[in-house]
Amino acid sequence: MIHRGVILASVAVVALMGSGAVDAGARLDVPQDATPAPATVVDLLRQTPARPATPAPVESAPAGTPAPAAPVAVTPPPAVTVARVEDKAAPVVEPKPEPEPVVVSETLPKDDEPLVPARRQRRPVAVIQAIDKVTAETMRFEVEVGGQPVRFNNTLIFKVRACETSAPDELTDDAIAYVEVSLQPRGTLPGTDPRQIFRGWMFASSPAVNGLQHPVFDAWVVSCKA
């Protein structure tokens, strides 16, 4: 009997514990009701009734001077004279004299006087240089202006009509000669005229401009001499 009572008591305790656990789990899922938060110090101060303010003592106005029975004459203050300080005259700055323009005396030609270029100097002898491109024979020789013709390599005949040097007012120092070159091999039949292959001005400074250009011979002027 005792053992049976103990067993029943144990079963009852276990049943109560199980029902409590189920009840606690079910309560966790149900929303709780909101409860007011505990009052803070600020709320307590607000709830405390304010003490009535003590009225400030009222001061009595000071006794004023009684108004005069008769009007009092007021004397105006003396007029103040303000002395005006005249501005000092500004110093007069005299302008500096401008320098006089420097006049450079130049001898300029008059409008009615045309500029006359200097004349070239004529020379009586021309110096010619010729080359045979087949035999590579080259020679520098003199030809008298208007004088006897000169033969080169038994084939070319040179005649000079004029030979001049540059004037002092020209930019380039040059020698210019008017040359006539004819082709007549030595041993040609009598009465056969030479065949002219060049005629014109030759320039010593630019031999390639107007020199003798032949398949076999080249020639150009070198200088003019007295």
Side-chain angles (χ1 to χ4, degrees):
M1 293 295 291
I2 296 173
H3 291 288
R4 185 177 181 182
V6 173
I7 292 172
L8 291 175
S10 299
V11 172
V13 171
V14 171
L16 290 174
M17 293 178 61
S19 62
V22 173
D23 189 10
R27 289 180 180 179
L28 291 176
D29 296 335
V30 177
Q32 296 180 0
D33 295 332
T35 57
T40 60
V41 178
V42 177
D43 295 333
L44 295 176
L45 292 176
R46 289 179 180 177
Q47 294 175 5
T48 303
R51 296 180 181 179
T54 305
V58 179
E59 296 181 359
S60 59
T65 304
V72 180
V74 179
T75 304
V80 180
T81 304
V82 180
R84 182 178 179 182
V85 180
E86 297 182 357
D87 298 335
K88 296 182 178 180
V92 179
V93 180
E94 297 181 357
K96 296 182 180 180
E98 297 182 358
E100 298 181 359
V102 179
V103 179
V104 180
S105 59
E106 296 182 356
T107 304
L108 300 177
K110 298 180 180 180
D111 295 339
D112 56 349
E113 294 181 3
L115 296 176
V116 180
R119 297 186 60 181
R120 293 178 176 177
Q121 300 295 323
R122 295 247 175 167
R123 304 299 182 195
V125 178
V127 180
I128 305 295
Q129 184 167 344
I131 182 173
D132 186 340
K133 292 185 285 186
V134 176
T135 62
E137 179 184 357
T138 180
M139 181 182 295
R140 181 174 294 186
F141 50 90
E142 298 180 358
V143 181
E144 186 179 356
V145 176
Q148 185 178 1
V150 177
R151 184 187 296 270
F152 169 73
N153 199 19
N154 297 324
T155 304
L156 295 182
I157 299 175
F158 290 85
K159 294 181 181 180
V160 178
R161 300 300 182 183
C163 194
E164 302 175 350
T165 57
S166 300
D169 57 352
E170 293 187 50
L171 299 178
T172 306
D173 187 11
D174 202 358
I176 307 100
Y178 191 86
V179 185
E180 295 178 356
V181 184
S182 300
L183 184 63
Q184 187 181 31
R186 188 184 296 274
T188 305
L189 296 177
T192 304
D193 296 333
R195 181 169 63 89
Q196 192 176 73
I197 58 176
F198 178 84
R199 182 178 64 181
W201 291 96
M202 291 184 178
F203 302 89
S205 61
S206 303
V209 172
N210 199 29
L212 171 64
Q213 295 181 356
H214 186 267
V216 180
F217 303 100
D218 283 346
W220 59 93
V221 65
V222 177
S223 62
C224 298
K225 60 183 296 186

